[in-house]
Every structure is written in C-alpha cells, then in structure tokens.
Amino acid sequence: MNYLNETIDSLHKKLANKELTSKELTDQTIDGIKDKEKDIAAFITVNDSASKIAEGIDKDGIKNSLSGIPIAIKDNIVSNGIKTTAASKILYNFMPVYSATVLEKLEASGAINIGKTNMDEFAMGSSTETSFFGDTHNPWNLDKVPGGSSGGSAAAVASGEVIAALGTDTGGSIRQPASFNGIFGIKPTYGRVSRWGVIAFASSLDQVGVMSKRVEDSAEVLSTIAGHDEHDSTSSEKEVPDYRADLNKDMTGVRIAVPKEFWHEGTNPEVIKKVNEAIETYKKLGASVDEVSLPALKHAVEVYYVLASSEASSNLQRYDGVRYGFRAKDVKNIKDLFVNSRSEGFGTEVKRRIMLGTFSLSAGAYDAYFKKAAQVRTLFIEEMSKVLEDHDLIMGPSTTSTAFKIGDKIDDPLAMYMNDILTIPANLAGLPAASVPAGLAEGMPVGLQIMAKPFNEQAIFNAAYALQEENKFYEQIPTALKGED
C-alpha cells in the first residue's frame, strides 16, 4: 500500500464498501513498510499482531472513519505488549503492561497500531540522530535528516508508509520534522490531549500531536485522541470539536500577526521567500496581515533548554537499572548499579541535558538559572497573549532552514539547539501550533508555522486547509520516491 494518494476518507470508503478489507490494507501496509525501510528506517518496531487485529475488525464491521486504518505511533508512547524504547538503550527491552490514553482512544475507534517509529532518544534532539537504533532518512533526500525528535513518524508519513502518525512535541518536535518532510503536523494546546502513558521528557512542555500529508486527516485523528483524562490532571475538560467536520477555508477577515523576530538573521533566504509567498496567499484570500514584535523571543533557546533540561533531570531519575530496562553487569553494589546502568544506558545528548538540568536546579544555581528562566517564560506568555488579543493567528517560518545533511550538526550541540528557535515559543506559552507545507526551496520542503489562541486548534486547521487547497503541495512526490507507483 502506498498512501501518497490516499486520505482517511478515501480509505474509509473503500473499507465500508468492501472494496478492501482491513486485513488486506494492514498486510499491504506492512509489505510497504518492509519495502521502504531499507532506505527510510522510520520504524523501530512493526506490530506483528496488526494483521490479526485487522481480521477482528473485519468481522465486527467498519463502524467509523478510523476503523481498520493503520496508524504509526512514536516510540515514546507506551503500547501494551509492544516494545516501547524511547529510542534508548536503557529501554531497549521494555515491554509495557498498559497503553497510553491516546493509543487506547485510537484503538477504541478501530484504528490499528501498525508499529513504533524512530525518534531522538527520549525526544532529545532535532534530527533523529541520537536514536540508539540508528538514523532515519528524509524521503526527499536520503542523505538528509528527517528532523526530530518525531523524525520517524514524519518520514513514515512523507514516504507513504502510513496515512498518519502520532508524535510528541516538547520544543518543536512535530512541527520541525513536518516542515523538513513536507507534511502537516500539529501540536495542540497544552492539556488538550492526555499525556498519560507518554514517556516524560519535560512535563510542562510535552504534548502529543498528529502528522499527516493532508490537513483533514490530522483533524480527524486529533478529534479522536483529544479530551479530558482522569489519569492526567493537566488535561482539559473543555469540549473537543469535530475538527474535520468544521473545516472552513474562508480566510475573509482573519487577522494574522507576523512577528518581526521570526525573520531570524540566520534564516535561509529561500525559506523566507516561500514563507512570504504563503503569507501573500492569505492576503489574497481576504486575511489582513500585521507586523508585530515579540522581544522576549531572543531568549527562547536559553529559557527552553534550562527549563526542559531541569525537568528531564527529574523525570529520568527513575531509570536506575532496578525495575525495568537495561541493567549493567558485573556491579559490586547498588551505587555501581545506578551509575553504570545510567552511564551505559543513556546516550551522549541525554547525559548532557541531565547534567545541564541538574546544575540548573542545584542550590547555588537555582535562582540564577531555573528561576530566571521561569520568569522569562512568563514574559513569553504575556507577550504572545497580548498579540493574540488583537489577532487570530501568528505566522512565520517553522524552521530557519530546510533539512540538513546527516552528520552535519550532531557534533555541535549549540547549532542543533538553534533549530528550535522558531518553534519553542508555542511550547513555552502552551499554545496550539502547526506546520503546513509552503513550497520547496532548493528541492527541499519549507513549512509555514501557524499559532492560535489556546484551544483554538480549529483556526489553525482552517488556515492550513486554506493554504493546502491553494498550493496542493500534497501532490508533490518526495524526490527519493519518484518512480514508485
């Protein structure tokens, strides 16, 4: 099965009309994954029970729009009976005994977990190069990264292995790879989707979202996984709209803010050109566009890495080699077990962030680093809230460049961290944000980032849908896949 020319709606019609069974679709999907994985390497684990699950769905009948449709799951979302590793050696053999709420909701709707996608270890990275299981390759150019940390999910969608995939976004980990791979990716408002069963990186920033080639497919999936969860006290009780049914591409009267700070001095001129063309499209569709200022943006990277690393140093202390996961051998005492298991089980980037976070939380540094970063985060929230009082949307580039070559930045942490400079603000402020394809620059995809008021994901879906229907980027076939049926 090649999903490049399919939508959830087209697949649902084929299944409902019995032109195709769920088992046939699932088996074809697994065959397609096996065929493409030698080049893309998007998956860590393929669900060997998927075909049997599909048989059961065929017997029960196709009951709703997601019934019988395979969807990929990022490997930091726990899945009962299916290995979940967070792309780390320390969890290389971890077999969960329960599933995350988002996965339970998908499975209740009849969707099939087709497998777990590759990612940066514990979601720490922007290129999927920190994975213990190896690199994932960008379908537009196999020598380039797919972005991260949800690079496996993005590459699986862009290459046509699956119709949609779940990812997580802590500082841009859905939007940046969506931009690099020429697909749509949305991070909903913090609290819109339950984090229960999501392996924690930074708990005040992490959020589950959706990636797909078409905006309407992400809208369908997000409506399914969103909503309050009694297991997650940070999940909102606000009613979840039917995002797919409410899609509207009319941009008349929509007020768009474009922060001047988003035109970062290091941004590729070709990226700027494509983003400006996309913004001009909205003007032609009846929207108004104003330049605004977000002065605190210049501190985004520093604030994010202090706060996120501090939370990570707390969250990752549970991996000690005692209860589950990797355990060091030939240890003499409990201290050796803790130290050796973590030293051997965690990768370089994870260790770096644990050290940075532990230092930021230490008695001598807390006020100067963590407390100060938290105060500047409040400035972000205030500045962005003020802009959104007079505007419906904030727009700008998703990234400062197109996808870079594998190996180019992995040894330069500061250069890698700067990849997140444009996506971090939405996480710090808890706002919904998405990346939608804006075109090609030097043969590689460029993404337009769209942010909205809290819990107004519908405004993002509508704006992204309007641009999608104008540029029809979904018709573009990734360069490395050209010639395939």
Side-chain angles (χ1 to χ4, degrees), residues 198-342:
V198 178
I199 295 174
F201 165 14
S203 301
S204 76
L205 300 164
D206 297 340
Q207 188 62 80
V208 179
V210 193
M211 311 172 89
S212 60
K213 279 185 70 70
R214 303 282 195 108
V215 173
E216 55 267 39
D217 291 339
S218 283
E220 187 78 51
V221 176
L222 185 59
S223 290
T224 301
I225 65 172
H228 179 67
D229 176 16
E230 62 180 10
H231 297 302
D232 180 2
S233 62
T234 67
S235 65
S236 172
E237 295 185 3
K238 286 182 178 290
E239 184 179 350
V240 179
D242 186 336
Y243 299 118
R244 174 71 178 87
D246 294 341
L247 273 181
N248 181 357
K249 61 181 181 179
D250 183 7
M251 289 289 103
T252 305
V254 173
R255 302 163 298 170
I256 298 171
V258 179
K260 62 183 181 181
E261 290 83 5
F262 273 19
W263 308 110
H264 189 261
E265 60 183 11
T267 303
N268 183 325
E270 291 299 311
V271 170
I272 293 174
K273 179 182 176 183
K274 288 299 173 183
V275 170
N276 276 328
E277 288 175 2
I279 292 172
E280 285 299 316
T281 297
Y282 286 110
K283 288 183 181 179
K284 293 174 184 176
L285 293 174
S288 62
V289 178
D290 299 319
E291 184 179 78
V292 298
S293 180
L294 294 171
L297 183 68
K298 62 179 178 288
H299 302 300
V301 173
E302 297 96 318
V303 169
Y304 172 80
Y305 280 97
V306 169
L307 295 178
S309 298
S310 297
E311 293 185 30
S313 73
S314 175
N315 281 325
L316 270 63
Q317 66 181 320
R318 71 193 66 177
Y319 305 108
D320 52 18
V322 175
R323 288 160 290 184
Y324 47 77
F326 174 78
R327 177 180 294 186
K329 297 179 180 179
D330 301 322
V331 295
K332 298 178 181 178
N333 51 50
I334 191 67
K335 181 179 179 181
D336 276 359
L337 175 63
F338 288 174
V339 172
N340 293 358
S341 294
R342 290 166 174 165

Side-chain angles (χ1 to χ4, degrees), residues 129-205:
E129 291 176 282
T130 68
S131 170
F132 174 67
F133 299 94
D135 301 334
T136 295
H137 300 262
N138 191 311
W140 289 85
N141 184 327
L142 298 178
D143 293 327
K144 295 192 174 184
V145 302
S149 63
S150 306
S153 289
V157 170
S159 63
E161 291 183 324
V162 292
I163 196 73
L166 296 191
T168 61
D169 192 310
T170 306
S173 290
I174 286 174
R175 289 160 288 153
Q176 187 247 29
S179 177
F180 279 7
N181 287 271
I183 63 173
F184 176 77
I186 183 165
K187 177 203 86 71
T189 308
Y190 184 81
R192 173 57 90 186
V193 177
S194 172
R195 292 182 295 108
W196 172 258
V198 178
I199 295 174
F201 165 14
S203 301
S204 76
L205 300 164

Side-chain angles (χ1 to χ4, degrees), residues 379-397:
L379 291 180
F380 271 109
I381 296 171
E382 292 173 351
E383 287 184 2
M384 299 187 83
S385 296
K386 186 174 182 180
V387 168
L388 287 169
E389 286 177 3
D390 302 317
H391 299 86
D392 302 300
L393 300 168
I394 297 173
M395 291 188 183

